[in-house]
Amino acid sequence: MKKSIVTVATVTVVGLSSAFAMDAHAETMDDLKNKQSEIQDNRDEIKANLSEAEAKIADVLIELEDLNKEIKNVNHALKENQKMMDKTESDIAKKEKEVQALEDEIVQLEEAIEKRYNILKERVVSYQQSGGNVSYLEVIFGSKSFSDFISRVSAVNKISDSDTQLMEKQEKDKKEVEEKQDKVLAKLEELKDMKVELKGVQATINEQKQENENKKEALKNKKQDLVALKEELQVKDSNLASLENEVKQSIAQQQRPTVSSNSNSNSSSAGKLQTLSSSGSSSKPSVSSGGGGISTAINAGYQYIGVPYVWGGKGPSGFDCSGFVSWAFGQAGYSIPSTTSSLAGTGSKVSYSNIQL
């Protein structure tokens, strides 16, 4: 965008300046008005480009504002996701501890089961020792007395009930351990899956963050280019404004009527101007209080010595070269142009051999 606008603006100003320089000695009103129209057209085009650049700058600023909000949201999402990852890591560590504790518990239960198994073995041995290799009835009926019979029946029943309780406790403990193990392992697997998912989310958010940073940098560069373009167009417009002002002054000089009171004064002024062009009265002007004529023009500026130079200035508040000459002769009653290009065609040409100081 910048390249296209700058190209148009450069061609416009360079073309205009070239045309103006080539035709600098044109004096007709039509030529001056055509130049003025051309300058105005080019200024309008540059102003349109300026408006476009300013609009684009405004758009970029809006994009930057929106992007900054998006970056802020992304950074917030990164922080929240990191919090979840930290929590998941903590939960995983806790579950791994639970798994370890459960494995220790399983080892303890297995040891308890082994002990119970040994107790059962001992009871069986004791039972066999009480009854030998005979059957349950033989153990009972092998008693030698009624009291021995009662004792044997009671012992066998107790052993039987105790064995049953031990087996039931063993099965219950085993089932509880398996259930705990399944739950903890399932939760641990779930947390590990969540950790993998959160890492993927974190990577995606980081990519988005980097992309936003790249966009932000590109928008900043675009803004700088547009600001530079705006400044360049403003300089070109200022240059065109100066050219336009000069043309306006030339048109004003063309349109200004020559100051004269009658035909005799016109003739006298022409004679004085001819005298100024072809000869000089002295090498150094002296201050004169004369009411008019060339001496008035020569002496008019002495009281303004020290006034700063002002480009395009045409009055006591500030002069440029051609503006001062036009003003000084105006004080003597002569109307001459105030631009160098117009002054070049005013008066009579003096040969080098006739120049006087």
Side-chain angles (χ1 to χ4, degrees), residues 205-320:
I205 296 176
N206 279 322
E207 289 177 3
Q208 186 178 356
K209 179 181 179 181
Q210 185 60 49
E211 183 179 350
N212 287 338
E213 292 295 340
N214 293 339
K215 285 181 181 178
K216 185 175 182 179
E217 187 65 24
L219 285 174
K220 284 183 178 179
N221 293 335
K222 185 177 180 181
K223 179 187 173 183
Q224 290 177 354
D225 290 342
L226 288 169
V227 170
L229 172 61
K230 179 182 175 181
E231 292 173 352
E232 186 175 350
L233 290 172
Q234 287 173 334
V235 171
K236 294 181 186 299
D237 183 61
S238 178
N239 292 337
L240 285 174
S242 299
L243 291 175
E244 184 178 18
N245 186 50
E246 187 173 346
V247 172
K248 285 181 179 179
Q249 292 172 3
S250 298
I251 292 174
Q253 292 296 333
Q254 290 275 359
Q255 293 175 337
R256 182 185 299 172
T258 302
V259 178
S260 62
S261 58
N262 50 46
S263 59
N264 291 331
S265 63
N266 287 338
S267 176
S268 175
S269 298
K272 291 176 181 177
L273 186 59
Q274 176 65 31
T275 301
L276 176 66
S277 302
S278 60
S279 65
S281 57
S282 63
S283 60
K284 295 183 180 180
S286 60
V287 178
S288 172
S289 59
I294 297 303
S295 61
T296 300
I298 293 173
N299 296 322
Y302 275 91
Q303 59 182 316
Y304 299 111
I305 292 175
V307 174
Y309 177 91
V310 177
W311 193 91
K314 303 186 185 305
S317 60
F319 298 99
D320 65 4

Side-chain angles (χ1 to χ4, degrees), residues 60-96:
V60 169
L61 291 176
I62 292 174
E63 286 185 58
L64 278 171
E65 184 177 356
D66 292 340
L67 188 57
N68 284 331
K69 291 180 181 178
E70 185 176 348
I71 289 173
K72 184 177 179 181
N73 292 335
V74 169
N75 289 336
H76 178 72
L78 277 172
K79 290 180 180 179
E80 292 300 316
N81 195 74
Q82 186 62 49
K83 286 181 182 179
M84 292 183 65
M85 286 186 65
D86 294 341
K87 185 178 182 303
T88 301
E89 290 280 0
S90 177
D91 291 343
I92 289 174
K94 289 179 181 179
K95 289 301 175 184
E96 287 177 344

